[in-house]
Amino acid sequence: MNIRREKNKIVFIFYCFAVMFITSVLLESSVYILYKLGKVELINSNKLFNMTKNQNSPAFDASWQLIPHPYFGYTYKPNSGFLNKTYLESNSEGFIDEEFPAEKKGDTIIYGIIGGSAAMSWGVEKRDERIDYQLEALLNAYAKETGSNKRYQVLNLGVGSYIQYQATQVFFYYKNLLDGVIVYSGHNEIAHGIILTRDVPVQYPWTDLLLLLKVESPLKHEIYYIRDKLSKYANFLLKRQYLLYSHSLRFFFNRIVENKLKRIDELNKQLKEEADKYSFNMPHIKRDTSRDPAEYIHQNFLQGDTESIAIQKKVIKAIVPLVYTDPIVDVYTVAKARGVHFLNIIQPMMLTVDRKITPEELKETKATPFYEKTGLEILREEADKMKKIYGIETYDMNEGYWFRDTKKDVFIDPVHLTPEGNKIVANYLFKLIKEEWLNR
């Protein structure tokens, strides 16, 4: 009797294992087929890694990589690594560079490049391929060649989406450290009024981040809590990657993640609605209340129709003096008073630079704003005014032969440069520095 009972028990256990095995095989096969047909999504190591680093995804917006700054509005999180097109690492002061010196020492000459993402060489991962480092290398090679015992250091003081108003504050903050300042700007300042969908103009482009700082809401804490849990969840799975061999488990894990990401999106929208209550209008800017000019331009700028161009000019003309001209005059005035060398550069832009666009670059022009041509015209008008009134010389990298002869791709997108493009800019700046700063 006992023997029969034991046999039945063994048969039952075997039967259960067989059912479980067959069910698992059928489940794995079904999920795999659905995955191959594009019907379901499976989590992978890249997605998990991105969550551990709090990367840019629909639920991890750019504000997750930024922190508020009392003078600049925001900087990158200090001592952090994150993906933003390429992998970037910030120093202890929130800039994409090595550590800045605490003070001037000996024969070291320190220059700084201020501006937005183009000034910081966004899109280029290696430090030695960025504008600041290439310029620094050229200057030190020149010092060695001429027998000088001076050493040059060029600080990368650019931050993504900065306008000149913010870049000027950066100069004021570091002015005691600098022997020379290079203002490298143009695009963000002409784009600023166009990209806004509501109130124009405002001091900083990252309106969402700054508005959210004013909102005391429990939603912020809930969003942080979910993000933190996702990061820990991702780290757990990455340490146990054998769990990812199963297609059904990958599907299951992906559903959990997607539900949490969806919840974060919902909370972000609610938080944004709360933050919008704190938005404001500049009182001296008159707006057409019957239609949102920015929305109209968004819909029509690629066609370049007459009405769209007229609206662009009106908005840009109203905003450029505030976010470009006046802040540059401030930099020039303080630099001159303190004996700091000064250069003002209008950055190169794909559709306005004096060269033919390569086929590879042409693929990116679909995202190129038509307002660059309109804006450059206004920047040049402002440059003429600064020259006439204040004696400020402006160097426009959209004209001349510098980019004309190269056969390589120099633009990553309409605004940012490849390592080859950065090399051209660095050589141009080196030429100007020799002529304007070193040989006078």
Side-chain angles (χ1 to χ4, degrees):
M1 190 73 175
N2 288 336
I3 296 175
R4 182 179 297 177
R5 188 179 300 156
E6 286 298 321
K7 284 184 178 179
N8 290 339
K9 186 177 180 181
I10 293 172
V11 170
F12 177 75
I13 293 173
F14 176 80
Y15 176 78
C16 289
F17 273 110
V19 170
M20 288 172 61
F21 177 77
I22 294 170
T23 302
S24 298
V25 170
L26 289 174
L27 181 61
E28 287 292 315
S29 301
S30 301
V31 172
Y32 180 75
I33 292 170
L34 290 172
Y35 168 67
K36 285 297 184 180
L37 292 173
K39 301 296 184 182
V40 298
E41 185 179 347
L42 310 181
I43 204 160
N44 55 51
S45 296
N46 287 337
K47 188 171 182 178
L48 290 169
F49 177 78
N50 286 345
M51 287 193 297
T52 67
K53 299 297 183 182
N54 298 316
Q55 304 300 352
N56 236 356
S57 73
F60 297 101
D61 56 42
S63 64
W64 194 238
Q65 303 164 1
L66 305 170
I67 63 166
H69 191 283
Y71 305 116
F72 316 149
Y74 61 88
T75 60
Y76 294 109
K77 280 188 174 182
N79 298 318
S80 295
F82 52 89
L83 280 176
N84 195 327
K85 179 73 174 184
T86 57
Y87 183 71
L88 302 174
E89 289 186 350
S90 59
N91 63 19
S92 63
E93 299 183 55
F95 292 89
I96 308 302
D97 201 352
E98 295 182 340
E99 284 302 303
F100 295 160
E103 57 185 13
K104 294 182 182 179
K105 290 184 179 180
D107 294 320
T108 300
I109 305 298
I110 303 175
Y111 299 149
I113 302 178
I114 61 175
S117 55
M120 69 167 268
S121 301
W122 178 89
V124 174
E125 184 169 320
K126 295 180 181 177
R127 180 174 180 263
D128 60 4
E129 293 179 339
R130 296 179 188 143
I131 296 171
D132 58 293
Y133 185 87
Q134 295 198 51
L135 175 58
E136 182 180 293
L138 290 168
L139 288 166
N140 284 314
Y142 178 73
K144 186 176 181 180
E145 178 188 319
T146 56
S148 171
N149 61 351
K150 292 178 180 178
R151 176 182 173 271
Y152 291 90
Q153 185 173 2
V154 181
L155 307 185
N156 186 342
L157 294 170
V159 173
S161 291
Y162 269 17
I163 52 174
Q164 188 56 48
Y165 180 91
Q166 291 164 282
T168 295
Q169 307 309 311
V170 171
F171 168 67
F172 289 165
Y173 192 86
Y174 290 101
K175 63 183 182 298
N176 295 331
L177 196 61
L178 300 178
D179 298 288
V181 59
I182 301 164
V183 177
Y184 187 84
S185 59
H187 174 268
N188 289 356
E189 290 73 21
I190 61 176
H192 194 60
I194 306 303
I195 63 175
L196 298 175
T197 56
R198 282 181 295 279
D199 309 311
V200 293
V202 294
Q203 297 291 357
Y204 305 111
W206 288 100
T207 53
D208 288 3
L209 173 67
L210 296 174
L211 290 174
L212 293 180
L213 295 178
K214 300 177 183 179
V215 180
E216 285 300 327
S217 170
L219 294 175
K220 289 195 288 188
H221 304 291
E222 187 174 351
I223 292 169
Y224 174 83
Y225 174 74
I226 298 175
R227 283 175 165 170
D228 187 56
K229 284 195 69 173
L230 275 174
S231 181
K232 291 176 180 176
Y233 181 77
N235 275 303
F236 174 85
L237 289 176
L238 285 172
K239 290 177 182 177
R240 298 163 179 81
Q241 293 211 20
Y242 55 83
L243 294 174
L244 302 181
Y245 294 145
S246 166
H247 293 93
S248 55
L249 285 178
R250 286 173 63 193
F251 171 72
F252 174 72
F253 294 147
N254 192 73
R255 288 305 299 266
I256 293 175
V257 168
E258 287 301 318
N259 286 336
K260 291 186 181 298
L261 292 178
K262 184 179 179 181
R263 177 59 181 162
I264 291 175
D265 281 341
E266 292 171 352
L267 292 171
N268 275 333
K269 288 176 183 177
Q270 293 177 36
L271 187 60
K272 183 64 173 63
E273 289 174 2
E274 290 187 23
D276 282 343
K277 298 174 184 176
Y278 292 86
S279 61
F280 63 94
N281 282 310
M282 296 292 278
H284 62 283
I285 301 296
K286 304 296 182 183
R287 298 190 62 217
D288 177 5
T289 56
S290 64
R291 180 178 59 192
D292 188 334
E295 183 178 346
Y296 177 83
I297 293 171
H298 269 301
Q299 296 171 354
N300 297 278
F301 66 76
L302 285 178
Q303 285 70 40
D305 60 277
T306 304
E307 186 178 6
S308 178
I309 293 172
I311 295 175
Q312 288 176 39
K313 285 188 175 181
K314 181 179 179 181
V315 174
I316 295 173
K317 275 181 176 290
I319 291 173
V320 163
L322 173 69
V323 299
Y324 177 76
T325 310
D326 291 348
I328 288 177
V329 172
D330 290 342
V331 174
Y332 173 77
T333 304
V334 174
K336 188 176 181 180
R338 301 182 68 87
V340 176
H341 294 301
F342 171 90
L343 280 177
N344 184 38
I345 310 294
I346 298 179
Q347 69 186 87
M349 295 173 281
M350 185 191 291
L351 281 192
T352 54
V353 76
D354 184 16
R355 69 183 286 271
K356 288 184 178 180
I357 303 174
T358 68
E360 188 64 29
E361 293 167 338
L362 194 62
K363 295 177 184 177
E364 298 294 335
T365 59
K366 62 182 181 299
T368 303
F370 186 80
Y371 61 75
E372 285 185 356
K373 293 183 178 180
T374 305
L376 181 59
E377 177 186 329
I378 295 168
L379 290 176
R380 287 171 173 169
E381 291 174 2
E382 292 298 310
D384 289 341
K385 291 178 186 177
M386 287 190 285
K387 173 70 174 175
K388 184 177 180 180
I389 299 172
Y390 303 102
I392 299 175
E393 193 71 53
T394 299
Y395 300 92
D396 183 1
M397 288 208 71
N398 293 280
E399 59 186 15
Y401 64 88
W402 284 91
F403 290 92
R404 196 181 301 157
D405 296 332
T406 181
K407 305 298 182 185
K408 298 180 181 179
D409 299 328
V410 294
F411 284 95
I412 296 173
D413 59 26
V415 183
H416 304 101
L417 299 172
T418 63
E420 179 67 21
N422 290 335
K423 182 178 180 181
I424 292 172
V425 172
N427 277 285
Y428 180 78
L429 295 177
F430 174 63
K431 172 180 178 293
L432 289 177
I433 288 172
K434 278 202 306 180
E435 294 173 354
E436 300 292 326
W437 298 358
L438 304 183
N439 295 334
R440 283 192 176 185

